[in-house]
Structure formats: structure tokens, C-alpha cells
Amino acid sequence: MDSPFWVYLIGFAGMGIYGVRILIQWYLSEKSHSVESPGIYWILSSIGAVILYVYGWLRKDFSIIFGESVGYYIYMWNIGVMGLYKKVPRIVIIIQALFPVLILALIAKDFHSFVDTFLNNQDVPLGLLLFGVLGQFTYEMRTVYQLVYSYKRHRSILPLGHWVLGVVGSVMIIAYGIVRHDWVLAIGQFSIVFTVRNLMISISEVRREGQREDAEEMD
């Protein structure tokens, strides 16, 4: 489905912010030789999610809205656990928290129209839509994994499983974007390069930790 150029600009803006977040995170990780989870990563994630919510709505693409919904509040949790909300006006936090609810309210307001335009979109056959949703789900499950892993340790961490799911999900989203002729999704996943690099750094960390534990047991 073709959309006005300005709609694609919104999509590229959202993906651009996502790209900047992982670029910064990757740079800090390379610098410290370990996977870092900086606050700016989660702040930019939250901003990018809002923009892509709007893009998904304008493109009438349920898979995008679904994908952003999975990780949205996890981004907020990470921002909160790092203490970054302390200097933010409460009204900003409330608006941020209610944004997905607003999207759901718009859907509920005219559910039949939603079904027709989103789920019965002739430009997105059901099989393709389900594949897109599965790709978004796989990609966003990395944030769920990250939340569970971090919650147990009471701090924000980007573990190995996060990057594994990120690589698999990115490949699926790229394929969906190509078939869907949505170059925002396809090109926007250029960050898979940094995801793979983070995966390699994370594997090295796990190996070092294993070697350290072996050395301690020998002592």
C-alpha cells in the first residue's frame, strides 16, 4: 500500500531514533568491552516507540502497533529502575503511560472499521500479516526476556538472550518489510549489524565469566 511521503518520513524518524539508541549503546559497549545498558538507550527507545505507534496507525499495519505494544512499558520500567524519572515532571510520565491506552481507545471507538482497515487490509494478506506479527513478537520478546532477567537482579541489564532474539526478529522483520514493500521496516533494521556485534560481545562475556568460575573452583 502506497502512503504519502510524509508518512514514510515519520516512520524513518522513528527507526532513526531506534538506530541512534543502539549506535550509542554499541559504542559504549565497545569502549568498556562489555555489554552496556545506558539510560539514553531506554529514553530513545521510548521516544521511538511513540513515533512508530503513529506510523503503524497511519500505515494501517497491525503488526507494527502490536510490536511496539510489547516493549513499550518495559522501556518505561528500565527508565524507572535507573532513577531517570526523578527529574521528569509527573504530567510527562502520565502522558507517556497513557499513550498506548489512547491508541486502544481509538481502536475500540470504531472496532469494525479497525478490523476492516487493519486486519482485512487487501494490501496485507492474513498470512503475511501473521508473519509480520510473529516477526515483531519475536523481536520484542527480547525486551520481555530483558525485563525478567533484569528484574531478578534489580538493575537494567542487556543479556545474551536479548541479542539472540533481536537477531532472529530482525531477519523476520526485514523479510516482512521487503514483501510488504515497506522500506521503512526493511531499511530500519540496519541496526542488526550492531545487534550481531552486541551478541558477539555478550558471548565473550559469558565465556569470560565461565572461565572465571572455573578458575575459582580450581583454587
Side-chain angles (χ1 to χ4, degrees):
M1 179 184 68
D2 292 328
S3 297
F5 182 68
W6 62 270
V7 172
Y8 291 110
L9 287 180
I10 291 175
F12 277 120
M15 285 298 187
I17 290 174
Y18 272 175
V20 170
R21 68 170 180 174
I22 197 169
L23 182 61
I24 295 173
Q25 183 276 331
W26 162 76
Y27 172 76
L28 294 175
S29 296
E30 290 285 1
K31 194 174 181 180
S32 66
H33 302 290
S34 63
V35 176
E36 298 292 333
S37 177
I40 189 63
Y41 177 86
W42 300 108
I43 293 172
L44 292 176
S45 294
S46 184
I47 295 172
V50 169
I51 295 174
L52 287 175
Y53 257 125
V54 175
Y55 176 70
W57 181 264
L58 293 172
R59 284 283 286 168
K60 296 180 171 56
D61 194 326
F62 176 72
S63 70
I64 297 175
I65 293 176
F66 173 81
E68 296 308 316
S69 298
V70 175
Y72 189 88
Y73 290 109
I74 297 177
Y75 300 153
M76 292 190 67
W77 180 85
N78 279 278
I79 293 172
V81 80
M82 298 177 84
L84 299 177
Y85 277 132
K86 293 179 179 179
K87 296 183 179 180
V88 177
R90 184 172 296 275
I91 185 63
V92 174
I93 302 173
I94 293 174
I95 292 174
Q96 181 184 8
L98 292 178
F99 187 79
V101 178
L102 173 62
I103 297 295
L104 291 176
L106 291 173
I107 293 174
K109 183 179 179 181
D110 192 357
F111 184 74
H112 293 295
S113 176
F114 169 80
V115 172
D116 289 338
T117 56
F118 282 75
L119 301 182
N120 293 330
N121 191 335
Q122 294 180 356
D123 295 305
V124 188
L126 181 59
L128 179 60
L129 175 63
L130 291 177
F131 178 78
V133 169
L134 180 61
Q136 293 282 358
F137 178 76
T138 302
Y139 186 73
E140 295 300 336
M141 276 302 293
R142 80 197 195 291
T143 59
V144 176
Y145 181 89
Q146 184 273 335
L147 172 64
V148 174
Y149 191 94
S150 298
Y151 185 80
K152 292 179 179 179
R153 292 157 180 80
H154 307 290
R155 63 190 181 95
S156 180
I157 306 171
L158 291 168
L160 174 61
H162 173 89
W163 304 111
V164 172
L165 290 169
V167 171
V168 175
S170 287
V171 171
M172 296 178 70
I173 292 172
I174 290 171
Y176 173 76
I178 292 173
V179 176
R180 173 82 161 86
H181 295 162
D182 190 327
W183 305 112
V184 170
L185 291 180
I187 297 174
Q189 288 299 317
F190 74 91
S191 58
I192 188 175
V193 175
F194 303 108
T195 303
V196 171
R197 179 55 187 156
N198 273 287
L199 175 61
M200 295 170 62
I201 296 173
S202 189
I203 290 174
S204 296
E205 278 190 277
V206 172
R207 287 176 177 173
R208 287 199 301 269
E209 183 63 28
Q211 292 172 351
R212 189 180 302 113
E213 291 178 355
D214 291 341
E216 290 176 355
E217 289 179 359
M218 292 179 64
D219 293 339

